[in-house]
Amino acid sequence: MEKERKMEGERRVEATRRWVIAVGFWVQGFRLFPWLGVNFFLKDGMGVAASSLQILQASANLPMVAKPLLGLLSDAVPIRGHRRLPYVAIGALLQAISWLAIALWPAISLPVLTIFLLLSNFGASICEVANDAIIAEAGKQATSSSGSGQLQSFAWMFGSSAGALGNLVGGIALSYFSPKIMFLFFAILLVLQFCTTVAIPESSLQLPKADTNLSAVSSVRKQIKELSYALCMPEIFWSVIWFSLSYAAIPFLLGTMFFYQTEVLRLDSSVIGLSKVFGQVTLLAWSVAYNKYFKTTPAQKVLSVLQFLTALVMLSDVLFVQGIYRNFGIPDSMYTIVFSGLLEGLMLFKVLPFSVLVAKLCPSGCEGSLMAFVMSALALATIISGYLGVALAEFMGVSGGDFSALPTCLLIEAACTMLPLFFSSLIKERREKEKKEE
């Protein structure tokens, strides 16, 4: 009888954890809904140029670089004795305020819009840090229903499905409503997330508790020491270096391709939305496939293959802008939906296996700090990638209505994507320890 009660309690805890993770990642995945509206609002409503659009897209991720600090705060400074859900609630509230302001501000200027987008992403970074820490801590308490990597895949399934839905609905909504209506709708959704999170007691998740014997300053120092120890571990340090360089080395031309598709090819917003839907669907399929088939495959092999596939799709874009596929009877809209969506998905595919690797290697006690540091490194790398893309397009003279040098830019982009493959040996794993744990 006692055993049955214990098992029932464990099932309730597991169900609550999954509910919290599902809501958190679903809402953050649905952020693609208002951000699709932001792209068209900047291009059509405010007349922003392609280079300015990509610079703003990259710069909006600057708050994500603060994730290590947020991770330290989440680990070391509990709010009313809790370290995760209060931070999720704060992040949701900041995002709701930001999108409400953007939606309701009359004749908003570009500087004001940028400030609120930064505030929104700051709130999103707080949510993501807390959600990642919940997954890492729950994954340490491995049970039959939450083995290594399974919670990460579960979270990705909800995040990618929400992203697919957000882009699908967003592409359709742009044909009938103004982007500000989309911003208002998402703000209401964030308010609901805030209310839901506040109503759930963190004790029901049965996560490791904070050390109440230490002051806030001492606790932060302790977390910094533990994070430093974790980052000095060769298998973590070199893996993070490779992961960051695999993004930072690419001059990503996302904004340039967006203008080429909408201004030169005159593709409808629904096509752009469907391409992003396809990308999120591939993310969903990848999360399922990874959990079922590739979870035990060495991370170095998985990450290298994904990097190579990304370069191949970029090379395919060269043929696309030269009209080769069009000559074979493949419509521009069809290629954009499939391959542009696949490329955006591939740029995120590496995050899942790498987060599983880091969760395995992470010492107990600094899960939130280390995962936050990794996501911060990713954010900084994507910012650098976006700026390099703008610099490459400007240097090659791709701007306005002149896209003659775009194929050359795409070739350079693909070549840079191949470079990290020569250093894939930096990805380290502790195979002996994993075998013992299994």
Side-chain angles (χ1 to χ4, degrees):
M1 194 70 178
E2 181 65 27
K3 186 178 180 180
E4 291 179 358
R5 281 199 298 267
K6 184 178 179 181
M7 291 178 63
E8 179 62 28
E10 289 177 353
R11 282 195 292 267
R12 283 198 298 269
V13 170
E14 186 69 20
T16 305
R17 285 176 178 174
R18 288 186 173 249
W19 166 254
V20 169
I21 292 170
V23 171
F25 276 81
W26 195 93
V27 173
Q28 293 309 304
F30 201 72
R31 287 172 60 221
L32 295 178
F33 173 75
W35 272 98
L36 180 61
V38 168
N39 289 337
F40 283 93
F41 183 67
L42 288 169
K43 183 180 77 73
D44 299 328
M46 306 188 74
V48 174
S51 58
S52 300
L53 173 65
Q54 185 155 331
I55 288 174
L56 191 146
Q57 286 176 329
S59 301
N61 287 322
L62 283 172
M64 300 294 180
V65 181
K67 280 187 173 183
L69 176 60
L70 298 174
L72 287 172
L73 288 174
S74 177
D75 282 341
V77 185
I79 299 175
R80 293 188 176 182
H82 302 303
R83 302 185 300 164
R84 306 305 179 204
L85 292 187
Y87 285 94
V88 175
I90 291 172
L93 183 61
L94 289 177
Q95 291 179 83
I97 293 172
S98 303
W99 290 109
L100 275 173
I102 296 173
L104 302 178
W105 193 292
I108 189 169
S109 63
L110 185 59
V112 174
L113 175 65
T114 303
I115 291 172
F116 282 121
L117 290 176
L118 287 170
L119 180 61
S120 171
N121 276 353
F122 180 66
S125 66
I126 296 175
C127 287
E128 290 176 5
V129 164
N131 286 325
D132 287 339
I134 291 173
I135 290 178
E137 290 178 331
K140 289 288 185 181
Q141 303 169 358
T143 66
S144 59
S145 60
S146 61
S148 176
Q150 203 166 70
L151 278 178
Q152 285 93 337
S153 298
F154 174 80
W156 267 63
M157 281 187 254
F158 272 86
S160 56
S161 62
L165 179 63
N167 281 314
L168 177 61
V169 176
I172 298 172
L174 283 168
S175 301
Y176 299 95
F177 306 104
S178 71
K180 287 198 171 187
I181 298 296
M182 299 169 64
F183 306 153
L184 181 61
F185 177 81
F186 186 64
I188 295 172
L189 190 64
L190 288 165
V191 172
L192 293 176
Q193 183 195 13
F194 171 78
C195 296
T196 301
T197 305
V198 170
I200 299 175
E202 187 169 314
S203 57
S204 62
L205 304 180
Q206 292 189 6
L207 299 175
K209 296 183 179 179
D211 189 349
T212 55
N213 296 322
L214 296 176
S215 65
V217 175
S218 299
S219 185
V220 169
R221 288 176 179 172
K222 176 175 176 289
Q223 288 300 137
I224 292 175
K225 184 177 180 180
E226 291 180 353
L227 176 60
S228 300
Y229 170 76
L231 291 174
C232 287
M233 297 168 63
E235 56 268 34
I236 293 179
F237 176 79
W238 291 112
S239 296
V240 172
I241 290 294
W242 184 91
F243 184 69
S244 302
L245 289 176
S246 71
Y247 286 94
I250 304 173
F252 201 34
L253 299 166
L254 180 62
T256 303
M257 285 298 291
F258 173 75
F259 264 73
Y260 176 78
Q261 292 162 352
T262 55
E263 293 297 308
V264 177
L265 301 181
R266 300 293 179 182
L267 296 179
D268 189 71
S269 62
S270 60
V271 173
I272 304 300
L274 283 173
S275 73
K276 296 180 181 296
V277 169
F278 188 84
Q280 293 301 312
V281 170
T282 58
L283 275 177
L284 177 60
W286 166 241
S287 62
V288 175
Y290 177 80
N291 187 55
K292 192 171 183 179
Y293 301 110
F294 304 108
K295 193 168 58 177
T296 57
T297 305
Q300 179 181 342
K301 183 176 181 180
V302 175
L303 293 170
S304 298
V305 170
L306 292 175
Q307 191 77 13
F308 179 72
L309 290 176
T310 304
L312 282 183
V313 176
M314 289 176 176
L315 286 173
S316 178
D317 279 349
V318 178
L319 302 179
F320 168 63
V321 298
Q322 289 181 327
I324 303 298
Y325 294 115
R326 194 181 308 123
N327 294 336
F328 282 104
I330 300 175
D332 293 333
S333 57
M334 182 59 65
Y335 180 90
T336 299
I337 290 172
V338 176
F339 284 90
S340 294
L342 180 61
L343 178 58
E344 288 195 39
L346 279 168
M347 290 296 289
L348 294 173
F349 273 20
K350 299 196 298 286
V351 178
L352 176 56
F354 191 78
S355 64
V356 173
L357 172 65
V358 171
K360 288 179 181 178
L361 301 177
C362 178
S364 298
C366 65
E367 292 87 355
S369 303
L370 183 57
M371 294 302 294
F373 182 87
V374 170
M375 292 300 105
S376 171
L378 172 61
L380 182 59
T382 54
I383 290 171
I384 294 172
S385 174
Y387 288 164
L388 288 177
V390 173
L392 175 62
E394 289 292 322
F395 178 76
M396 299 298 295
V398 178
S399 61
D402 184 9
F403 289 89
S404 57
L406 183 55
T408 306
C409 291
L410 291 170
L411 279 173
I412 296 173
E413 181 187 39
C416 292
T417 306
M418 296 289 286
L419 288 177
L421 290 175
F422 296 101
F423 307 99
S424 60
S425 60
L426 293 176
I427 305 170
K428 306 293 183 180
E429 296 183 75
R430 286 179 291 178
R431 295 182 177 84
E432 295 82 8
K433 181 176 179 180
E434 291 174 11
K435 289 179 181 178
K436 290 179 182 179
E437 289 175 347
E438 289 173 358

